[in-house]
Amino acid sequence: MTRATSRESAVFETKANKKGSWNYNGLAAGTWEITASAEGFHSASRECRIYQLQDNPRVELVLEELEQGTNTLAPGLLERADGLAILQKYDEAMALYRQYLEQDPEAVMVMLAIADCLMEKGDLEEAVKHYQIFVDKTSADPRDKALTARAMARMGECFLKQGDRLSAVKYWKASVVLSPIDAEVPFNLGEVLFAERNLEEAARYYRISAEISPGWGEPHYKLGLISMSQENYDLARKSFQKLIEIEPYSALADKAKGIIKELDRLKK
């Protein structure tokens, strides 16, 4: 079973075929969390951006098999917990996740799920503690670096919501260095740095975001604004034109077209 959940809490489900392949054609543009689950396996998830006018990235999820005998102790427990979390019934979901951990104390994906629930319900200090437990468990294994990076990124979100920008920047930077696969993380880092007028470093992270997610226009818009502030109008034009090429019908593209027209007027 595969679920796609948007930040606006829309939920869609589909089933994989016998080879484990699946597709879904009804997702709107935006950021979605893709979660896969199967009886006898730990669930897995990752965030990705969905585009309407560009090819969408292939999302690969690898499910780790439960230890022998574990599944017979708790059939369907994780799937029920995941379903409750998607419905934003976080306390009920965490009760089931913790019930599962009593039977399988080393289930790191369940630890991550609990931390996610805590963050989503606004218990940020407790969420940070649980993410740190997860990072401590996974950081020693290079195979888990994407998961470790995700937990660090979520810690950054928690700190930003608490008003601790320094800690947010610290953990987002660590996440990008460890596993730069989520375009939202360097983009958010760029946003914080941009707000602090640290433009050179902000531009660096916007470029990383654009490289990770070439079908996303907003990083190019922000790069254009930075170039404008530095009076590098030719480079700004290139960034705005790239945005228009990627997302020709978006609201940001309309703004970029207006800026380019103004640049043309000033050139005359």
Side-chain angles (χ1 to χ4, degrees):
M1 175 74 72
T2 305
R3 291 187 178 92
T5 310
S6 77
R7 290 185 173 179
E8 289 73 33
S9 299
V11 180
F12 298 93
E13 295 186 357
T14 188
K15 289 187 177 181
N17 61 24
K18 292 181 179 179
K19 295 182 179 180
S21 299
W22 55 273
N23 62 67
Y24 194 92
N25 297 321
L27 301 183
T31 301
W32 291 78
E33 181 162 1
I34 312 299
T35 301
S37 61
E39 196 70 40
F41 294 83
H42 292 295
S43 62
S45 64
R46 63 171 289 192
E47 287 187 353
C48 67
R49 291 195 64 82
I50 300 297
Y51 311 103
Q52 290 186 332
L53 300 177
Q54 302 286 327
D55 290 337
N56 284 297
R58 179 181 176 86
V59 179
E60 294 188 0
L61 295 170
V62 178
L63 307 186
E64 295 184 4
E65 191 170 6
L66 296 172
E67 294 181 11
Q68 187 175 5
T70 302
N71 188 47
T72 59
L73 296 175
L77 186 60
L78 285 182
E79 189 164 326
R80 295 200 305 276
D82 290 340
L84 289 167
I86 287 171
L87 294 173
Q88 300 182 1
K89 297 181 178 181
Y90 300 119
D91 289 328
E92 295 174 51
M94 285 190 291
L96 295 184
Y97 286 135
R98 287 176 174 132
Q99 182 180 334
Y100 185 90
L101 279 178
E102 290 176 2
Q103 301 172 55
D104 184 6
E106 298 301 312
V108 291
M109 292 305 298
V110 179
M111 298 176 191
L112 183 62
I114 291 173
D116 285 346
C117 285
L118 288 166
M119 185 184 78
E120 293 297 336
K121 69 174 288 194
D123 194 347
L124 301 178
E125 289 188 12
E126 199 64 25
V128 168
K129 291 178 184 177
H130 280 72
Y131 284 127
Q132 188 61 59
I133 292 171
F134 180 86
V135 168
D136 292 342
K137 282 277 188 182
T138 59
S139 57
D141 191 338
R143 295 172 298 178
D144 290 334
K145 66 179 182 179
L147 292 172
T148 306
R150 176 185 170 186
M152 288 179 171
R154 293 290 176 89
M155 290 172 78
E157 288 184 51
C158 290
F159 283 121
L160 188 67
K161 289 177 180 178
Q162 291 175 309
D164 186 349
R165 288 181 174 236
L166 287 177
S167 293
V169 167
K170 171 186 172 182
Y171 280 94
W172 279 339
K173 283 183 177 179
S175 176
V176 172
V177 169
L178 185 61
S179 183
I181 61 172
D182 183 355
E184 295 276 349
V185 178
F187 182 84
N188 290 340
L189 185 49
E191 292 285 84
V192 172
L193 295 167
F194 184 87
E196 295 173 347
R197 305 305 296 169
N198 189 345
L199 300 183
E200 289 293 338
E201 196 170 8
R204 175 190 168 200
Y205 287 102
Y206 286 134
R207 283 192 288 269
I208 292 173
S209 181
E211 290 170 5
I212 296 171
S213 188
W216 188 18
E218 192 167 1
H220 296 284
Y221 182 75
K222 292 303 179 73
L223 286 168
L225 294 181
I226 290 174
S227 296
M228 288 281 290
S229 71
Q230 297 171 334
E231 299 184 359
N232 190 337
Y233 300 120
D234 288 338
L235 186 58
R237 179 190 296 272
K238 288 179 182 178
S239 293
F240 292 134
Q241 287 175 334
K242 184 65 175 178
L243 161 64
I244 294 167
E245 175 188 326
I246 294 171
E247 298 180 3
Y249 306 113
S250 68
L252 283 180
D254 289 339
K255 290 183 180 180
K257 290 172 186 176
I259 295 172
I260 289 174
K261 284 182 180 180
E262 184 63 19
L263 289 175
D264 290 342
R265 187 186 68 79
L266 293 173
K267 240 183 175 183
K268 292 179 182 178

